[in-house]
């Protein structure tokens, strides 16, 4: 049995779109949630605060279509469905770790650059 997901596992992450993207906004976080083993839909929603059930479903389906996630439905009462990373999905963990390390080292600098840019650029009506 794997440990429950930490509801605060993404607390230290930058809000909004990450500097690097694999798939959509939620894909890397779902990959992180599944790195230690299969999870049920309700388990995934715990640390993924802010995601709607519809968006989680759409993201999981897209990840399944892309071969990153497998979906297993068990004919039990009540029905049980689990999602797991495929071998292809697991190959993303190493580059994601590198991106995470880069973000931890350079995100404040990048955010300052964005602020500086916004301060310099004036937008005129088109």
């Amino acid at each position: 049995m794997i440990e429950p997901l930490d509801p605060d596992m993404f607390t230290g992450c930058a809000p909004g779109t990450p500097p690097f993207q694999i798939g959509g906004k939620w894909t890397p976080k779902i990959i992180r949630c599944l790195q230690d083993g299969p999870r049920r839909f309700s388990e995934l929603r715990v640390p993924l605060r802010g995601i709607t059930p519809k968006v989680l479903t759409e993201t999981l389906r897209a990840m399944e279509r892309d071969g990153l996630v497998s979906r297993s439905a068990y004919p039990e009462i009540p029905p049980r469905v689990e999602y797991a990373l495929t071998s292809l999905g697991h190959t993303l963990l190493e580059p994601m770790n590198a991106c995470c390390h880069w973000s931890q080292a350079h995100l404040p600098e990048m955010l300052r650059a964005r602020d500086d840019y916004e301060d310099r650029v004036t937008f005129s009506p088109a």
Side-chain angles (χ1 to χ4, degrees):
M1 178 100 177
I2 57 178
E3 293 294 318
L5 292 171
D6 179 359
D8 297 317
M9 67 189 289
F10 298 114
T11 299
C13 296
T17 305
F20 303 100
Q21 274 190 262
I22 298 165
K25 170 183 175 181
W26 295 102
T27 302
K29 290 183 177 184
I30 292 170
I31 290 170
R32 266 302 164 224
C33 289
L34 297 174
Q35 71 183 356
D36 294 327
R39 299 287 182 170
R40 296 179 73 168
F41 188 89
S42 58
E43 287 181 279
L44 294 172
R45 292 204 53 214
V46 173
L48 299 174
R49 290 182 281 251
I51 193 170
T52 64
K54 178 185 178 204
V55 170
L56 179 55
T57 298
E58 289 170 352
T59 305
L60 286 166
R61 284 183 183 157
M63 292 174 73
E64 184 179 10
R65 179 200 66 221
D66 292 343
L68 303 176
V69 166
S70 63
R71 179 183 184 275
S72 299
Y74 299 94
E76 302 170 348
I77 298 177
R80 178 171 55 102
V81 176
E82 291 182 339
Y83 298 90
L85 282 183
T86 62
S87 56
L88 180 61
H90 276 282
T91 66
L92 289 170
L93 291 170
E94 185 176 341
M96 283 177 53
N97 288 336
C99 291
C100 185
H101 292 301
W102 183 93
S103 293
Q104 288 171 344
H106 300 286
L107 188 60
E109 180 182 353
M110 188 182 81
L111 294 176
R112 277 193 307 278
R114 285 182 182 176
D115 289 342
D116 291 346
Y117 175 83
E118 293 299 324
D119 290 344
R120 288 191 319 269
V121 176
T122 59
F123 296 97
S124 59

